[in-house]
Structures are given as C-alpha cells and as structure tokens.
Amino acid sequence: KRHRVIWRSLYSEGAMGFSYPDQCVIEVDPDYDELTIADTLIHEFIHRHPATCHLDEDAVNEMGTEIATMLHKMQLIVTQEQIDER
C-alpha cells in the first residue's frame, strides 16, 4: 500500500508524529531538523509494520533513533547544517 505523509505542526498535540494505519497516513511535524524528522518518519513506520507493531513506545523510540543515526552516519540523511558546512 502507498503511504501518504502529511506535514503539519503537531505542537498543540504534544507530538512529533502520528500514524493512522487504517488510512495509510502518517503525520509529521516539519518544525524540526532533518535528522529528527527522519527519526520520526521511521518511528511511525515501525508502529505500522506487522512485524514490529506490537513493540512498546520505548522499543520503537530506540529502533527509530538507531536506524536514523545509522543512515545519518552513512550520509544518507544530510542535515542543513552539514550542507552549509560544505
């Protein structure tokens, strides 16, 4: 299934992202740096995946951050700060 990402401020809800599995929709707050946004997207996809949807929030947080950090170290996620330094 194709997923749709909606970019909107989630500050008032106290969240960085939401996943709506029945609608194939993920909402992400764009008011963060690139690495945090990538971490949030990965986090929400982990919540959706059948193999990992049973995990508690701490496990999902750890897994999302670990994947985002690895991608960043591989330079597959580049922050604006890194671009500015080049």
Side-chain angles (χ1 to χ4, degrees):
K1 286 186 173 184
R2 187 179 176 140
H3 295 85
R4 189 169 64 130
V5 176
I6 297 173
W7 304 94
R8 72 177 185 94
S9 177
L10 300 172
Y11 178 80
S12 63
E13 283 120 304
M16 297 167 76
F18 289 114
S19 178
Y20 302 97
D22 55 324
Q23 301 171 23
C24 290
V25 170
I26 289 176
E27 291 184 326
V28 177
D29 190 329
D31 297 329
Y32 291 92
D33 63 86
E34 294 84 352
L35 184 57
T36 302
I37 289 172
D39 187 337
T40 303
L41 278 167
I42 293 165
H43 175 107
E44 297 307 336
F45 275 107
I46 291 169
H47 275 307
R48 304 175 57 80
H49 195 279
T52 54
C53 64
H54 66 282
L55 296 174
D56 66 26
E57 194 68 16
D58 288 339
V60 172
N61 281 336
E62 183 178 336
M63 187 180 285
T65 299
E66 200 169 311
I67 293 168
T69 300
M70 177 193 62
L71 293 172
H72 183 251
K73 285 180 180 178
M74 295 171 66
Q75 296 185 345
L76 297 173
I77 298 172
V78 181
T79 64
Q80 186 61 49
E81 184 177 289
Q82 290 172 308
I83 292 168
D84 293 344
E85 289 174 357
R86 291 181 182 171

